[in-house]
Amino acid sequence: MFSKLSVVVASALITLAAATPTTVPVTPPTSDQCCQTVVDSSSTAAGKVLSLLGIDLGIITIPVGLNCSPLTVLGNNCGDITTRCDAPEIEWGGLIAINCIPITIPI
């Protein structure tokens, strides 16, 4: 009787393990940007740009870069704030970049 029970339990566990979806964490692509300013997404300045572009971040608060242009050459003299941002699926004409973290690029 116990051998039948152990076979049933083992079969059930194998079935559950096979049916359990596995996810691989996906790191969004990043983009080095030169931004005039980096502000919180809940700020008035960011709110105006986000609403103009029809972007709704809901209650998420993240750092956003305003008036950004991509850095294409290592050591590019930014003159403003050099950041690493999430690469956008849609380009917004340099008005805004999402999830920007200031970085230092060695020269």
Side-chain angles (χ1 to χ4, degrees):
M1 175 164 168
F2 287 111
S3 64
K4 287 182 184 179
L5 179 61
S6 62
V7 170
V8 170
V9 170
S11 297
L13 290 175
I14 291 170
T15 302
L16 285 174
T20 303
T22 57
T23 57
V24 176
V26 176
T27 304
T30 59
S31 171
D32 290 343
Q33 301 277 325
C34 181
C35 299
Q36 186 177 16
T37 58
V38 176
V39 296
D40 195 73
S41 60
S42 63
S43 73
T44 304
K48 288 179 182 179
V49 175
L50 289 166
S51 67
L52 282 173
L53 296 172
I55 301 169
D56 182 14
L57 296 177
I59 61 171
I60 298 172
T61 302
I62 57 174
V64 296
L66 300 176
N67 295 323
C68 300
S69 60
L71 292 177
T72 55
V73 179
L74 187 64
N76 187 355
N77 185 7
C78 175
D80 287 320
I81 303 168
T82 305
T83 62
R84 181 155 293 147
C85 307
D86 288 347
E89 292 179 19
I90 301 170
E91 293 293 332
W92 295 298
L95 292 174
I96 196 165
I98 304 295
N99 200 23
C100 296
I101 307 299
I103 62 170
T104 302
I105 296 179
I107 298 175

